[in-house]
Amino acid sequence: MHNYQSSNVPLAYVNETLLPYGLPVSDLLEPQIESCLKFVDFIGTLADLYRRIENCPQFEKTGMYLEQCAIFKGLSDPKLFRRTLRAARQHTVDVHSKVVLAAWLRYERREDELRGTNSMNCCGRNIECPKATLVPGYNPEFIYDPCVCSKNPRGESVDDYSIEDVECSTSDEYRDMSFCIGDNEIRCIRYCIASLSTPFRTMLYGGFRESRKEKINFTQNGISIECMKAAELYSRIRRVDSFDPRIILELLTFSNRFCCDDLKSACDSYLASLVNDVENALLLIEYGLEENAYLLVAACLQVFLRELPNSMHSPNVMKYFCSPEAKERLALVGHASFLLYFFLSQIAMEEDMKANTTVMLLERLADCATESWQKQLAYHQLGVAMYERKEYKDAQSWFEEAYESGHIYSKVGIARTKCKRGHKYSAYKMINSLISEYKPVGWMHQERSLYCDGKEKMSDLEMATELDPTLCFPYKYRAVLLLETNKIGAAISEISKIISFKVSPDCLELRAWISIAMEDYERALRDVRALLTLEPNYMMFHGKMHGDHLVELLRPFVQQWSQADCWMQLYDRWSSVDDLGSLAVVHHMLANDPGKSLLWFRQSLLLLRLNCQKAAMRSLRLARNHSTSDHERLVYEGWILYDTGHCEEALAKAEESISIQRSFEAFFLKAYALADTSLDQESSAYVIQLLLDALRCPSDGLRKGQALNNLGSVYVDCEKLDLAADCYMNALNIKHTRAHQGLARVFHLKNQRKAAYDEMTKLIEKARNNASAYEKRSEYSDRDMAKSDLGMATQLDPLRTYPYRYRAAVLMDDHKENEAIAELTRALAFKPDLQLLHLRAAFHDSMGDYASTVRDCEAALCLEPNHADTLELYNKVRELVKEQ
């Protein structure tokens, strides 16, 4: 029985409690200025970058890939950024770059959030190994090989020796001179000491009087007896690893004073090997900076960087990065770079855009910028930071610097700051000239709408949505305007348009806000709960109320569910393909049972469906942290590895989990990861067996439905259609609604086109999010019906690329080449996609426009360098161009 808390609460009380800050006001809305690099001709930018990467020398590729990282940072797919970051690491030569890039790769997985892990833990591969990063040299082919840590996990020395034996092995008769320090005499071998450096060789064998002395007084040189003894021993054995670290630090100073390069290198390398935590690093970095010890400073930086973002909040750490003086000290030892400050400033902006630390790091980034793109990025981001701090004069200055460096988008920042400083018409003219000068893109019209009113404003907003339907601001503005004219239902419909294909906290907040105004508290609570899974610390109502507090305020006005009720609700929403509703139910369940790893895992799956990868990975890490057994923890670690591109390591985690205990999730992970690597006949049979093993293990209907659906898909690939149909029917029997799509595919392959169409119709009727169902149904329709279904798919989710490709192909078949190109170009303006680019390149090729073919191929290969069809077309067209 439901525990429903009925309350005949006066509306005035509800409004005052739930809307203490009133309703949203259209005049106060403005879109954020994006902090990434943005381009007027993004496809041309990608093509140019690909050419430069291909043509640059091997040793310069890291810098090119870093530029690519900066460009990909503005795209919605984090996999592109991570892949490019790995490519940058693969081609590094110097230790400094290796340290920074390895730390950055680790940060992208946010392993700092995993309980029981150490920042210096090794992933087992050279690419991120903290020991491998301290070895200079160019070795791209070995970057993914197992590192020394995996071969020698305990770090035992493979070359032990006894220092006492070495000391005793040299008889006093060979010691032909002494260094005297006070009353102490250190006997030495003259030629061994002379071999330490040119100054010693000159002193002991040159024209100086010391060359004729047996005893040389070193009392006034500030060298301790222990240090001199160690130097003497090193001169014979050429090793320092048996000395006390305190003595090695003295030897480092000694080596600098007397230019003993080999001794300095040995001390530097050994001291670097001792740095394993922040405390050690803070102690040793001062010695490294003072003595210009490159490897020691690198090792200390490595610890600081691998501790991010936590170390970002330590004044003792950040003092080595933030000030101009700190940057100069790092520069003197070879450790100040654009790369370093690019990494640090990106994390600082994620933590707090307005913080002083963020501004100082961005200023150092600007100091290190030498290339055009680096200046554009640094100056623009400084402008954004200053704008967020409401320091509009400084913001305008930085935006102007970025624009003068070639970043056209920074004109948005200049216009915005001019408007804030009372020059609205000047801002309007500036953006108006931008639209006149360049081919208009969505963000230009969005920006111009801020500086005009009435019909002109609405016209710009409509044009912005037409050119780029992924821009949130036009939907938000129109929704609030409808709310202000008391058209609440229309306002909900407007903001729901973008939420249906692009989930963001600000849009969910606005819909919840409007829902409260229309007293639809269940919808409001659902959206707030979904919002909090994306950003757990989100502040509502212009940053004035924590989302969790609003949840507590809304709860008395809605039906209360027990945990059993929640499971029923989750099944209902899952079966109706209501991912946001499912997300809200899981959030409710976690509020009651926050230690349930299974629920955190479910949350991550839903977030991945909604293309919210960052939030999904956070939920997956929480699932891992709350796991109660080793076999369960290994599964979640496997999914983390799989989702960050480490398929082989994910398979290993699944196998280790199965070796401890056979479980549904371990078999499912192994099958999923294996299916992603290759699906020849032999591996397909193995995947089938793994999924069958998974289905024999205990699990709930939600996950078994997914396993049956996947099993059906593999059976279809193996042409076992009857077995596939059985799997899909079994999945549908436990309310796995997406199985209609698989069953439709089976019917289609059996030439039962009408049955396939009917299956997809059932999915459309049942699914709350049904853009993909319209798209798939088009495959089983005649041409006119397909056109209608694909039009609906685009209307519901303009980010789906198949409808554009289909419509373009139809236009090409009808010999309407220009219209076909325009259809693809329309989508590419807001979604740079490999398949769209490849198809447009093929169309250009068929029309004899080889320059455009080459450009589109290069842009596609910038997104996916190994795409075989594009490479084939690219090479063919280049040969044609050469022949002509």
Side-chain angles (χ1 to χ4, degrees):
M1 178 160 232
H2 293 300
N3 299 316
Y4 180 66
Q5 294 181 4
S6 178
S7 50
N8 298 315
V9 184
L11 183 59
Y13 173 75
V14 174
N15 288 339
E16 184 181 339
T17 303
L18 302 179
L19 296 174
Y21 306 103
L23 293 170
V25 179
S26 58
D27 288 344
L28 298 180
L29 293 176
E30 68 172 54
Q32 275 195 322
I33 302 173
E34 294 188 43
S35 61
C36 56
L37 292 175
K38 286 181 75 73
F39 303 92
V40 175
D41 177 15
F42 189 63
I43 303 305
T45 300
L46 291 178
D48 173 67
L49 182 61
Y50 177 77
R51 281 194 302 275
R52 288 188 289 123
I53 290 174
E54 288 300 295
N55 295 327
C56 80
Q58 288 293 313
F59 291 166
E60 295 176 17
K61 283 192 182 291
T62 291
M64 296 302 306
Y65 283 124
L66 190 61
E67 181 179 352
Q68 192 175 37
C69 282
I71 291 170
F72 284 169
K73 194 73 174 171
L75 300 181
S76 59
D77 185 359
K79 291 178 182 176
L80 288 172
F81 177 79
R82 284 198 296 265
R83 189 196 69 210
T84 306
L85 204 58
R86 285 195 291 270
R89 168 66 184 91
Q90 182 176 4
H91 289 277
T92 49
V93 180
D94 61 289
V95 166
H96 172 78
S97 298
K98 290 181 180 183
V99 163
V100 178
L101 288 166
W104 201 338
L105 283 166
R106 182 181 186 278
Y107 173 80
E108 285 297 308
R109 289 202 308 279
R110 291 308 301 266
E111 289 201 1
D112 59 285
E113 293 183 2
L114 299 181
R115 288 179 189 163
T117 59
N118 184 289
S119 65
M120 299 302 286
N121 284 354
C122 179
C123 69
R125 305 277 176 181
N126 283 322
I127 189 167
E128 286 182 46
C129 173
K131 293 181 180 176
T133 58
L134 297 177
V135 179
Y138 183 69
N139 51 359
E141 65 274 18
F142 301 122
I143 199 73
Y144 295 108
D145 287 356
C147 63
V148 67
C149 303
S150 59
K151 299 170 187 173
N152 186 22
R154 296 184 184 178
E156 295 96 340
S157 172
V158 294
D159 189 21
D160 290 335
Y161 68 99
S162 168
I163 199 69
E164 290 81 5
D165 291 344
V166 176
E167 285 184 321
C168 295
S169 67
T170 304
S171 172
D172 273 353
E173 65 186 81
Y174 295 108
R175 292 179 168 139
D176 52 354
M177 63 158 293
S178 302
F179 285 101
C180 299
I181 300 174
D183 296 331
N184 294 279
E185 189 176 318
I186 298 96
R187 297 291 291 168
C188 306
I189 301 173
R190 183 179 292 268
Y191 75 82
C192 288
I193 296 294
S195 68
L196 290 176
S197 70
T198 300
F200 271 124
R201 186 165 57 253
T202 304
M203 175 197 295
L204 298 176
Y205 287 108
F208 293 95
R209 60 185 179 185
E210 283 85 356
S211 65
R212 298 184 294 276
K213 286 186 175 182
E214 185 181 340
K215 294 182 180 181
I216 299 172
N217 193 335
F218 255 39
T219 303
Q220 302 302 317
N221 283 340
I223 299 167
S224 72
I225 300 163
E226 293 84 356
C227 178
M228 198 63 228
K229 285 181 177 178
E232 186 280 324
L233 184 55
Y234 173 81
S235 73
R236 291 185 283 118
I237 66 172
R238 299 288 161 162
R239 298 180 67 154
V240 299
D241 47 351
S242 64
F243 303 144
D244 185 275
R246 181 181 59 82
I247 298 300
I248 299 177
L249 287 170
E250 280 196 66
L251 280 174
L252 186 61
T253 304
F254 176 94
S255 65
N256 272 329
R257 181 178 297 180
F258 295 102
C259 305
C260 307
D261 293 340
D262 290 345
L263 174 59
K264 179 178 179 177
S265 178
C267 293
D268 190 12
S269 180
Y270 185 72
L271 288 168
S273 72
L274 301 180
V275 184
N276 53 21
D277 58 34
V278 172
E279 186 179 352
N280 267 346
L282 287 171
L283 179 67
L284 291 170
I285 191 169
E286 277 296 336
Y287 288 100
L289 291 169
E290 288 295 325
E291 300 299 338
N292 197 26
Y294 179 77
L295 282 181
L296 177 55
V297 174
C300 295
L301 290 182
Q302 176 160 254
V303 171
F304 297 154
L305 297 179
R306 290 173 77 96
E307 285 284 347
L308 288 167
N310 297 327
S311 55
M312 185 70 68
H313 305 291
S314 168
N316 289 333
V317 171
M318 296 316 294
K319 72 180 183 181
Y320 290 105
F321 300 106
C322 288
S323 68
E325 296 76 20
K327 193 216 91 173
E328 287 306 313
R329 290 187 79 194
L330 289 173
L332 288 172
V333 74
H335 285 292
S337 68
F338 184 86
L339 168 61
L340 172 66
Y341 284 102
F342 186 17
F343 178 31
L344 289 169
S345 60
Q346 299 314 294
I347 297 174
M349 287 192 294
E350 288 177 20
E351 293 288 299
D352 184 357
M353 179 68 84
K354 301 175 186 177
N356 290 335
T357 297
T358 302
V359 173
M360 287 190 286
L361 289 172
L362 286 170
E363 287 171 343
R364 302 296 77 74
L365 181 72
D367 292 342
C368 294
T370 54
E371 298 181 34
S372 174
W373 74 268
Q374 294 175 347
K375 292 176 182 179
Q376 292 175 33
L377 181 68
Y379 300 156
H380 180 73
Q381 290 185 337
L382 268 165
V384 173
M386 292 302 183
Y387 185 84
E388 290 294 316
R389 289 159 64 101
K390 300 184 179 179
E391 298 176 20
Y392 299 125
K393 185 178 179 181
D394 287 341
Q396 183 175 330
S397 176
W398 285 116
F399 284 132
E400 286 170 348
E401 290 270 9
Y403 177 70
E404 287 166 13
S405 298
H407 193 231
I408 305 301
Y409 177 71
S410 291
K411 260 202 171 182
V412 166
I414 301 171
R416 200 79 67 89
T417 51
K418 279 179 176 287
C419 184
K420 291 291 184 183
R421 300 175 71 196
H423 305 290
K424 186 174 179 179
Y425 184 61
S426 176
Y428 175 84
K429 287 199 299 182
M430 179 173 287
I431 301 302
N432 202 45
S433 68
L434 201 61
I435 293 173
S436 302
E437 189 175 349
Y438 297 97
K439 183 180 179 181
V441 288
W443 55 262
M444 294 180 185
H445 285 278
Q446 173 180 270
E447 191 64 23
R448 190 172 68 176
S449 74
L450 300 178
Y451 314 121
C452 52
D453 302 298
K455 289 183 179 179
E456 189 179 358
K457 186 184 195 79
M458 298 311 294
S459 175
D460 263 334
L461 289 172
E462 290 298 333
M463 182 58 72
T465 299
E466 184 179 330
L467 292 172
D468 185 352
T470 68
L471 293 171
C472 295
F473 174 74
Y475 300 93
K476 291 171 67 177
Y477 185 87
R478 289 189 292 259
V480 173
L481 201 64
L482 288 164
L483 178 64
E484 289 173 340
T485 55
N486 212 30
K487 298 175 182 176
I488 302 180
I492 289 283
S493 297
E494 181 63 29
I495 195 63
S496 294
K497 288 177 185 175
I498 190 166
I499 291 174
S500 68
F501 67 89
K502 183 182 177 182
V503 179
S504 63
D506 56 329
C507 290
L508 286 171
E509 176 196 16
L510 181 56
R511 190 165 72 177
W513 205 338
I514 299 171
S515 297
I516 293 171
M518 66 186 296
E519 300 181 29
D520 186 350
Y521 303 125
E522 284 199 9
R523 190 208 297 257
L525 184 57
R526 180 197 65 192
D527 282 345
V528 176
R529 286 191 182 281
L531 181 163
L532 289 170
T533 64
L534 299 176
E535 285 193 28
N537 296 315
Y538 193 83
M539 299 295 290
M540 309 283 293
F541 309 137
H542 303 303
K544 294 173 181 174
M545 181 188 291
H546 197 289
D548 283 332
H549 183 55
L550 184 57
V551 168
E552 292 306 310
L553 292 177
L554 284 167
R555 284 185 64 203
F557 298 97
V558 300
Q559 194 168 326
Q560 302 300 299
W561 295 333
S562 66
Q563 202 75 338
D565 295 329
C566 287
W567 276 110
M568 291 177 63
Q569 292 291 330
L570 183 57
Y571 268 91
D572 287 344
R573 282 160 174 72
W574 197 284
S575 63
S576 63
V577 196
D578 177 8
D579 294 331
L580 272 178
S582 300
L583 208 54
V585 174
V586 172
H587 183 272
H588 187 169
M589 297 169 80
L590 281 167
N592 297 332
D593 189 2
K596 193 82 170 176
S597 59
L598 172 66
L599 293 174
W600 288 112
F601 181 52
R602 287 289 154 75
Q603 190 178 81
S604 73
L605 297 174
L606 288 163
L607 287 164
L608 282 174
R609 280 188 188 174
L610 292 165
N611 202 29
C612 303
Q613 190 168 39
K614 184 178 178 180
M617 294 305 295
R618 183 180 61 244
S619 296
L620 199 48
R621 290 189 292 270
L622 286 165
R624 182 263 184 201
N625 287 345
H626 287 101
S627 56
T628 56
S629 63
D630 286 343
H631 74 86
E632 186 184 19
R633 173 182 55 78
L634 287 163
V635 168
Y636 299 141
E637 289 176 353
W639 278 116
I640 290 170
L641 287 164
Y642 176 81
D643 287 334
T644 51
H646 299 82
C647 197
E648 287 184 21
E649 290 84 347
L651 276 169
K653 291 283 184 182
E655 288 165 357
E656 188 179 351
S657 178
I658 292 168
S659 71
I660 298 171
Q661 182 172 319
R662 295 165 65 88
S663 69
F664 173 91
E665 293 298 349
F667 281 117
F668 188 87
L669 168 61
K670 187 174 180 181
Y672 201 92
L674 192 62
D676 194 41
T677 53
S678 64
L679 264 186
D680 53 34
Q681 190 170 0
E682 185 179 348
S683 60
S684 293
Y686 189 33
V687 169
I688 289 169
Q689 185 57 53
L690 288 169
L691 288 170
L692 290 171
D693 287 339
L695 289 164
R696 294 187 190 102
C697 298
S699 186
D700 58 69
L702 299 177
R703 292 298 280 158
K704 290 212 169 185
Q706 182 67 63
L708 285 164
N709 200 54
N710 288 17
L711 183 57
S713 179
V714 182
Y715 277 138
V716 168
D717 292 339
C718 296
E719 300 181 359
K720 298 178 179 179
L721 300 184
D722 290 336
L723 289 172
D726 289 342
C727 286
Y728 292 130
M729 290 302 298
N730 289 333
L732 288 169
N733 289 337
I734 52 176
K735 293 191 174 182
H736 190 78
T737 307
R738 284 181 170 86
H740 281 297
Q741 184 172 313
L743 195 56
R745 186 181 172 202
V746 171
F747 285 138
H748 179 63
L749 291 170
K750 289 184 172 184
N751 294 318
Q752 299 174 18
R753 195 180 180 92
K754 176 67 167 59
Y757 181 89
D758 290 343
E759 280 302 315
M760 294 312 299
T761 301
K762 291 175 187 176
L763 180 56
I764 288 170
E765 291 168 351
K766 291 180 182 179
R768 193 177 187 93
N769 301 321
N770 52 18
S772 65
Y774 278 108
E775 180 183 298
K776 290 295 180 183
R777 191 173 71 171
S778 72
E779 297 177 19
Y780 316 126
S781 311
D782 59 35
R783 188 162 169 172
D784 289 338
M785 286 294 295
K787 185 178 178 181
S788 174
D789 276 347
L790 291 173
M792 182 60 74
T794 298
Q795 183 180 327
L796 293 171
D797 184 356
L799 289 171
R800 304 191 72 84
T801 61
Y802 174 75
Y804 301 98
R805 289 186 279 127
Y806 177 89
R807 289 189 291 263
V810 169
L811 288 165
M812 283 297 284
D813 288 344
D814 293 341
H815 305 290
K816 297 177 180 178
E817 291 89 353
N818 292 332
E819 290 94 329
I821 294 290
E823 179 67 20
L824 296 175
T825 302
R826 179 164 72 101
L828 283 166
F830 58 87
K831 186 175 174 65
D833 175 79
L834 173 66
Q835 298 295 339
L836 290 172
L837 283 165
H838 174 72
L839 185 58
R840 194 171 73 169
F843 287 175
H844 282 308
D845 176 42
S846 69
M847 296 162 66
D849 185 352
Y850 298 135
S852 296
T853 305
V854 168
R855 180 203 59 204
D856 283 352
C857 283
E858 288 171 340
L861 292 169
C862 190
L863 296 173
E864 177 46 74
N866 299 316
H867 190 247
D869 291 343
T870 303
L871 281 168
E872 182 181 347
L873 177 59
Y874 183 51
N875 291 329
K876 183 196 84 171
V877 172
R878 287 173 73 194
E879 286 299 317
L880 283 172
V881 171
K882 284 180 184 177
E883 289 172 8
Q884 291 177 358

